Amino acid sequence: DFFDIGFSNSSIGNTIYLSAPMIIRTLGTDSGSLGTPPANIQYLPPKASRSVSGSLLDLTGTRSLDVTNVSFDDNAQPTFNGSNNRIYIGQDLGLQNTSFSAEALVYWDGDSTDTFFGYYDTVTSGTQRSIHWRIYNTGQVRFDFYANSINSATGAIVANTWYHLLVTYDSTSDSCKCYRNGELLMQGSAGPYLGNDSDSKGYVGAWTPSSQPFGGEVPIFKLYNRALTEGEVKQNFAMYKKRFNI
């Protein structure tokens, strides 16, 4: 299972659909110019029907999400200014004490230490009650459960370059792995997320609404409800390698 968010300005209307591993992807535009951000986001429950092509069929039980704090370029692609842009992707993402994977296509501007995915308990703070996936200004990558993290060497990420990043967390062994462009970048013992899902909020483009805003682009983001295998990681990378000229 996964969440699927698509940005579109086509004839079907300016709607972002969120279904149930989490993806943010651009669908393009009919006119070639978005002009204004999409009008709304709708949430599709995990068991909603889908067509053979993956199209969303059933919008029963939708709810609105806020995308007013993110910018869009002429190709309807979300961009982050490193100051106050972010996408709120919802509360209760189902990461508490369980296996999951997260995947992102990232283009970092290199200006500062930036977080491109954050999830945190808004009521109780402390060790392992916050998740952040960030790039330091040295090019080091960190996936952190707050004081419990895995880290790459410096220079792992170069500014103004596309990367496919995917992290897996296996709750049976408390092991975390991060892949860069289909190859293992770092691994170690980390996790689980101990925050209360019902009190937690998630963002793409920031750790929290006021912490470590991301500068660059994150056109694709996914959250899976299990740890993907190495073969699945390579398969996913192959899907995007040509598209993003990685």
Side-chain angles (χ1 to χ4, degrees):
D1 292 337
F2 65 92
F3 292 100
D4 189 344
I5 304 176
F7 299 91
S8 176
N9 191 32
S10 68
S11 59
I12 63 173
N14 298 339
T15 302
I16 298 177
Y17 295 104
L18 174 61
S19 70
M22 171 117 24
I23 173 173
I24 295 177
R25 61 176 181 181
T26 56
L27 301 181
T29 66
D30 291 337
S31 63
S33 178
L34 184 63
T36 58
N40 57 34
I41 292 182
Q42 293 186 320
Y43 172 72
L44 181 66
K47 295 183 179 179
S49 301
R50 302 178 70 91
S51 70
V52 174
S53 66
S55 301
L56 306 182
L57 300 178
D58 182 7
L59 292 180
T60 303
T62 62
R63 64 185 175 93
S64 295
L65 300 176
D66 183 11
V67 290
T68 57
N69 294 305
V70 68
S71 303
F72 294 85
D73 64 18
D74 289 343
N75 294 314
Q77 183 153 295
T79 63
F80 302 87
N81 61 10
S83 176
N84 56 8
N85 282 172
R86 61 191 180 276
I87 296 176
Y88 173 59
I89 58 175
Q91 191 166 339
D92 194 358
L93 299 182
L95 304 185
Q96 183 180 354
N97 282 313
T98 191
S99 299
F100 66 89
S101 299
E103 179 178 24
L105 267 293
V106 174
Y107 188 89
W108 174 56
D109 64 16
D111 285 346
S112 60
T113 295
D114 297 342
T115 294
F116 55 92
F117 170 58
Y119 187 59
Y120 69 103
D121 190 320
T122 62
V123 176
T124 305
S125 61
T127 299
Q128 293 176 233
R129 289 183 173 269
S130 176
I131 291 174
H132 60 260
W133 199 2
R134 67 167 62 123
I135 303 171
Y136 285 88
N137 55 10
T138 59
Q140 179 187 50
V141 179
R142 169 176 287 183
F143 189 86
D144 194 5
F145 290 90
Y146 195 71
N148 191 232
S149 64
I150 58 173
N151 303 276
S152 76
T154 59
I157 298 296
V158 176
N160 302 314
T161 305
W162 281 108
Y163 291 94
H164 175 263
L165 297 175
L166 196 151
V167 67
T168 66
Y169 168 68
D170 187 345
S171 63
T172 63
S173 58
D174 275 344
S175 60
C176 212
K177 297 179 179 180
C178 183
Y179 298 84
R180 177 190 58 190
N181 297 342
E183 301 296 331
L184 184 64
L185 174 64
M186 57 196 191
Q187 64 179 324
S189 178
Y193 178 66
L194 299 180
N196 293 317
D197 271 325
S198 59
D199 296 328
S200 300
K201 293 183 178 181
Y203 293 88
V204 170
W207 183 9
T208 72
S210 59
S211 300
Q212 298 181 359
F214 185 77
E217 301 180 38
V218 188
I220 295 171
F221 180 78
K222 302 179 183 180
L223 271 179
Y224 299 81
N225 62 3
R226 61 180 177 84
L228 299 188
T229 66
E230 182 178 348
E232 289 170 326
V233 172
K234 291 182 179 296
Q235 178 178 314
N236 283 14
F237 169 59
M239 290 173 53
Y240 301 114
K241 181 178 180 180
K242 184 175 180 181
R243 174 180 170 187
F244 290 90
N245 195 29
I246 300 175

